[in-house]
Amino acid sequence: MGHVYDDQNIFAKILRGEIPNATVLETEHALAFRDIHPQAPTHVLVIPKGPYVCFDHFAQEASDAEIVDYVRAVGEVCRMEGVAEDGWRLIANAGMNGVQEVPHLHVHVLAGRNLGRMLSKG
Ligand code: 5GP
């Protein structure tokens, strides 16, 4: 299945500087910023700078350099936020059943409280 990137999505606007964000970390190929509606004391979104819709799109089409930088950025955010010891959760929603609202790859880094079981019903 082909992935068609919509460059009017809200994270594309953030990357272009058209919408402000609370940046946690910026690297060559990644940007991490605080979620506007945090669901835990730590709720950071980490996105690649490239135009990738979802994790699978990124995995298929990103360069090795982009992938390495992005994965290392996620780990660095956890260390910067001081959550590595107490634990944290990484979520990447994709598509309709994953209930992905913003069609630019992002992982949620959630931490700072017991996050409960992985999925709620329904
Ligand atoms: P999704 O449901 O696509 O996995 O998650 C999208 C996330 O983006 C949500 O947690 C939502 O709160 C966050 N979000 C939506 N618009 C904005 C925005 O303009 N700024 C920031 N920082 N987060 C946003």
Side-chain angles (χ1 to χ4, degrees):
M1 188 188 80
H3 294 98
V4 179
Y5 183 78
D6 169 15
D7 68 5
Q8 293 307 306
N9 78 77
I10 199 110
F11 294 166
K13 292 179 180 178
I14 283 176
L15 283 167
R16 290 195 294 266
E18 295 166 14
I19 292 176
N21 74 90
T23 299
V24 172
L25 174 70
E26 181 168 7
T27 66
E28 185 179 1
H29 295 296
L31 181 69
F33 54 95
R34 300 202 183 279
D35 195 291
I36 205 163
H37 296 303
Q39 303 200 20
T42 292
H43 189 170
V44 177
L45 302 171
V46 190
I47 68 175
K49 290 182 176 176
Y52 304 107
V53 175
C54 65
F55 200 98
D56 179 47
H57 189 202
F58 184 67
Q60 285 188 66
E61 295 190 12
S63 67
D64 289 3
E66 287 175 290
I67 292 171
V68 168
D69 180 286
Y70 183 64
V71 171
R72 290 203 194 286
V74 173
E76 191 171 344
V77 164
C78 292
R79 292 192 302 278
M80 289 173 69
E81 292 291 303
V83 303
E85 189 170 330
D86 287 347
W88 48 285
R89 181 171 295 158
L90 201 60
I91 295 177
N93 297 317
M96 189 177 61
N97 281 356
V99 196
Q100 178 181 10
E101 288 174 12
V102 181
H104 182 115
L105 169 60
H106 51 285
V107 295
H108 300 251
V109 175
L110 294 152
R113 65 170 171 83
N114 185 307
L115 297 164
R117 293 186 63 100
M118 190 167 64
L119 295 178
S120 63
K121 296 191 182 85

